[in-house]
Amino acid sequence: MPRVTLAIAVSACLVAAATPALAQVYPSRPIRVVVPFTPGTGMDIIARGVGPRLSERLGQPVVIDNRPGASGNLGAELVARATADGHTMMVSGNPLITSALLYRNVPFKPLADFAPISLAAWGTLMLVANPGTKINSVADLVAQATASPGKISYGSPGIGTPHHMSMELFKDLTGTNLLHVPYKGSAGAVTDVLGGQINVMFMPIHVGAQFVKAGRLKALAVGSAKRHPSAPDLPTLQELGVKGAEVDMWYGYLAPKNTPSPVIKKLDSELRAILEQPDVRTSFSAQGMDATSSTPVEFARLMQREDALWSAIIKKNNISAE
């Protein structure tokens, strides 16, 4: 056998042998899970709920590292630059896509610089109105916004949040003009829609439901593709004629790009087993999230669809966080 051919054959055998070996020795040290937002957020709840179970299954400590800033971009950059060996990963969500589109000079590309592992949960958004507005339905909202462009106000926890982008999509699909009032976090926005300082907003269903039940807010619709079990009588936006209005919040695990495939597969398998546990589902449900899982390919496709959708909305409406 010629010397060059022999070298190539030996190299191929070494690579083939190394792939299962890598999966067998992983993990070899503690795993860091970066949460690019503050403690108490949905991503943080997922990371801390899953972390101990993942540690037990992998035989290594799982350390949760909150790195908030720039709507999640600071933590995401940290993960994008981390060594791609499976010992650093991230729990992120919709803002990973939108924040990268809203800020200038973001040093990473969501679709190119991360390896999706698995979805972890969905969060349903509810469209609500202050009762004093006399907006009792989506049709009422559209009619008032059409009659008085820019007069109906809506709140959000900040520019680029799912609450904000969902309303921008609603505006685009209904041809209406509503005034955005961004807050620094959810608390101020919720307080002001309850007080009537702002008229409407999207909020997580588990947050809005308590105020709807008390008569302090009027529920108009949910943004999910299907009705939510906690509010089965509340229609979806699509049922009400707002076609294309699927605005669920998603959460998932990602690693740096080029993380070896055997490591991604192992993490996906372990996360899937954890996320299917009844106590995990119950715990997530209490926080307004529906536990789920996916293959890396399914997660990647979701991110691609999200990027195409929000790129178009942001460009068309000239939205910027700066």
Side-chain angles (χ1 to χ4, degrees), residues 60-103:
Q60 288 286 349
V62 173
V63 180
I64 310 304
D65 186 5
N66 293 88
R67 295 295 184 101
S71 297
N73 286 345
L74 294 184
E77 180 185 357
L78 182 69
V79 175
R81 293 181 174 181
T83 302
D85 60 4
H87 291 92
T88 298
M89 55 181 173
M90 169 176 68
V91 179
S92 193
N94 310 60
L96 177 65
I97 301 294
T98 56
S99 294
L101 296 167
L102 291 166
Y103 286 84

Side-chain angles (χ1 to χ4, degrees), residues 257-315:
K257 68 176 181 181
N258 298 326
T259 297
S261 178
V263 171
I264 295 293
K265 289 180 180 178
K266 183 175 183 65
L267 287 170
D268 175 43
S269 176
E270 299 295 354
L271 287 169
R272 184 184 299 273
I274 292 168
L275 292 163
E276 289 176 352
Q277 294 174 3
D279 61 331
V280 171
R281 291 182 172 273
T282 299
S283 174
F284 280 21
S285 179
Q287 299 294 332
M289 297 180 292
D290 299 313
T292 190
S293 61
S294 72
T295 67
V297 171
E298 289 168 341
F299 191 6
R301 287 173 180 164
L302 169 66
M303 291 178 62
Q304 290 165 1
R305 292 196 300 271
E306 289 269 301
D307 183 73
L309 170 63
W310 299 122
S311 293
I313 294 295
I314 287 169
K315 183 176 180 180

Side-chain angles (χ1 to χ4, degrees), residues 150-236:
K151 298 296 184 181
I152 302 296
S153 59
Y154 77 95
S156 80
I159 296 173
T161 58
H163 319 59
H164 171 214
M165 300 310 301
S166 296
M167 193 63 85
E168 291 297 328
L169 178 61
F170 177 85
K171 288 165 53 180
D172 189 70
L173 294 173
T174 58
T176 53
N177 179 14
L178 285 78
L179 175 65
H180 181 212
V181 183
Y183 291 76
K184 293 183 178 180
S186 297
V190 172
T191 297
D192 281 1
V193 74
L194 288 169
Q197 285 78 23
I198 55 175
N199 304 132
V200 298
M201 72 175 290
F202 277 102
M203 64 174 61
I205 191 168
H206 72 292
V207 175
Q210 57 186 315
F211 299 117
V212 171
K213 186 176 181 180
R216 301 183 64 188
L217 290 175
K218 176 66 179 180
L220 307 181
V222 291
S224 50
K226 298 179 180 179
R227 296 191 183 199
H228 196 271
S230 67
D233 295 331
L234 190 60
T236 68

